[in-house]
Amino acid sequence: MNNKKLSRLLEPNLKLYFLVMAAFSVVTATVSLRVGLVEVAVTVGLYVYFTRANQSRRQGILQYIDNLTGSVDTASKSTLINSPLPIMVFRPDTGEVIWSNENFLQLAGVREHLFEMKVEDAVPHLPVEWLLEGKTECPERVVMNNRRFRVYGSLVRSRGKGTEQNLVATTYWVDTTDADDLREHYTASRPVMAILLIDNYEDLMKACADTQRSAVQAQIDEKLNAWAAQGQGILLKTDRDHYLFIFEEQYYQPFVQERFAVLDAMREIKVGEGVHPTLSIGVGKDADSLRELYKNANLSVEMALSRGGDQAVVRGRMDFEFYGGRSKTTEKRTKVKSRVMANALSELIADATEIYIMGHSFADMDAVGAAAGLCCAARKRGKKARIVINLEHNAAGLVLDRLRALPEYEGVFTSPSEAFINIRPGALLVVVDTNRPDMVESQQLLESCNRVAVIDHHRRAASYIENAAFSFHEPYASSTSELVTELLQYLVDSADLLREEAEALLAGIVLDTKHFTLRTGGRTFEAAAFLRRAGADTTDVQRLFQNDLQDMVSRYDIIRRAQLYRENIAVAVIPQDGVDRVAAAQAADELLTLKGVKASFVVYRSGEDVLMSARSLGEINVQVILEALGGGGNSATAGGRVENGDIDTVQQDLLAAIDHYFEK
């Protein structure tokens, strides 16, 4: 039937022509019978000739089609049987093997065909879900007889008995063992570069006698060489406190699994009373060249130092990984650096067409105090700075009210949207009290400004403001206000600083040090003394921290919900919305006053987001804990935000992060 249909399509249709010729013959016969008979004879002769010619032509075409179809079927069968690739046909619903070629039989180690066998008998653990999902390639390698294969396949429906349809899968097996081994060998042998730096080398040398220095250095070298020997690499001492370590990537995972145990080994060396060496490690990996590896290692060690040292930072192709960093940081700054940074900032202010100062979102007293100090520095250079802040959404209302009442601060405060519209080319943007681009008051303003300066004391996170023209980042400082006060000592006279500005700076220091009880060093009190000489009244500063009755009730409502976790960590979770940020932070501070509590966490809802406020006495690094949840800060004070989060899920994630911190 199919052949008849095909022949009808291929043969020309001449019936209409013969009908017309017959009609002309009849008409001609009415005029001349002889001529009409001749036309009829010619028409009949032509009809017979063309009928026979079409029949012969149709038979030739059908014969050609039969030969072609047979050749294709023969080629298809030959391809399946003699294919250089192993082929197996099976039913994915029942796992029954239908057919396989000789190459697959040899691969499976079976002498006879796999009829009436199951797929799992021939190929254990062969996944078939990808075929049912319409995919043409197995997402993972299939192992058979110690060889690895990339499996391709297709799924068709075949007719069974009656109207029943069966699924039939045809799979093609490509041996990738050699290619995979070559790729794994290449990956395992790629170089990894690490820069090792003794953080407190100068302090170590001062803490020991001249006769002991060589012995201390020998102990350090011995610890480093013993650790580096595990990596089968090359450890080179490039300076008295710098080392370069190059090893293959196959030894990288053991270092990670032990979480760079050399950090703990270094602290076992005792030099003096309470003095021991600490190590910072910067690792560069997954780079395309040795130059890029060295660049990544340098970035990593800078990141480790900016986070307080005594830790390892790994820079991969895309992001950073952090290990260690749990020890309490000590003050390591010098006045030389402050003087150099003050001169650099003074030049930037002098060259700027206009100056904008911006802190983090929901600015606190530390951010506002630092901004006020920089306004004084700009005013000393004859320029008027503008502070970018949301006046309706901040945690420094009393300080802002005092500053806005001054004639010098008329028109100084501007909203982020106004600053973004009015900023001009050549403007200088100074970011204070944060180094993360996602935490600033206005990301649009940050992205639109070409000249950016950063002054911050928080430990640097994986995402930070890059390519800043000026960066005064000291994680050892108590607050950004302390850093700005140090700069002001080289930029202005104490008489140039307004009393309200001095009190704003002092309030920032008091806030971040919890009234000079946490993260204070000698430089902290020197900065406070300078501000006191500039006219800051400690009584007025104390009034800035007074709360009304409603705030106290809110704070104690949070505290009464706290529960102890791991016996020395207080965790308070407030499921309902409407918790004030300042009250939550103050509640976290007050929880530390409870006997036996070493760290506190307050988890609360703010709109669609879940916020976290964390405090510590210094023994527990809350910044490392909250960093696992996308937060940041420093070892004693940290915070975090989970957008569109569920508070119960965030609570479980927080407890898991705390457990992970102690398990490390």
Side-chain angles (χ1 to χ4, degrees), residues 256-270:
V256 171
Q257 292 172 0
E258 65 179 14
R259 308 195 68 82
F260 293 89
V262 68
L263 298 172
D264 299 325
M266 275 291 149
R267 290 192 293 271
E268 296 175 358
I269 301 175
K270 301 298 182 183

Side-chain angles (χ1 to χ4, degrees), residues 3-23:
N3 290 341
K4 290 182 179 180
K5 291 180 180 179
L6 182 62
S7 62
R8 289 173 183 172
L9 293 173
L10 295 175
E11 67 182 6
N13 191 355
L14 302 177
K15 293 181 180 180
L16 179 62
Y17 298 103
F18 285 112
L19 288 175
V20 172
M21 293 176 65

